[in-house]
Amino acid sequence: MKPDSLLIKEKKYQYLQNTHSETVEAEIEEELVSEAKQEKKRRREQLWPIWHELTFDEQTRIEQTAIEQLNSEFFRDRFNKNKEFRLSQCLDVLSVQLESGDKEMKNGFHLIAQ
């Protein structure tokens, strides 16, 4: 059996290793989240001119899809009251529809070249 002092040192070493590992994992995750946010912002900026080229009916359909996808009354209320939030949700729906190759989107909307 190992002496208590050696067991304490080993436990301390394991604790430090685990703590360091968790810190590194948290930093990596934070960096990935930051990159994803930047990519989403960049994509929304690209979609901004496309959004403004859509007809009122096309925008209304996207707004309806966006609000249906919100999973809580809080976010639906925010969607109805906050223009910036509403637009960001609509641009996200537009992005998904364009990326999925939605035939209605490509044939029905007057899209500018990307």
Side-chain angles (χ1 to χ4, degrees), residues 2-71:
K2 295 180 182 180
D4 287 345
S5 62
L6 187 55
L7 287 173
I8 291 172
K9 283 183 182 180
E10 286 178 357
K11 285 189 184 246
K12 190 175 186 180
Y13 178 76
Q14 286 176 342
Y15 172 78
L16 291 173
Q17 286 293 91
N18 289 340
T19 303
H20 176 71
S21 176
E22 289 171 5
T23 302
V24 169
E25 288 174 13
E27 288 172 358
I28 291 171
E29 185 175 339
E30 187 176 314
E31 187 175 320
L32 291 173
V33 168
S34 177
E35 288 173 6
K37 285 181 179 180
Q38 289 174 351
E39 174 60 25
K40 195 174 216 180
K41 182 179 179 184
R42 184 190 63 73
R43 181 68 176 148
R44 285 176 179 163
E45 288 171 357
Q46 288 178 335
L47 291 169
W48 178 257
I50 295 171
W51 174 257
H52 288 289
E53 298 243 342
L54 300 177
T55 66
F56 176 79
D57 289 342
E58 292 165 339
Q59 287 182 356
T60 301
R61 279 197 312 249
I62 289 175
E63 287 175 344
Q64 187 61 38
T65 301
I67 199 163
E68 288 171 1
Q69 292 178 357
L70 296 174
N71 60 4

Side-chain angles (χ1 to χ4, degrees), residues 50 59 82 102-103:
I50 295 171
Q59 287 182 356
N82 184 315
D102 188 324
K103 289 187 188 332

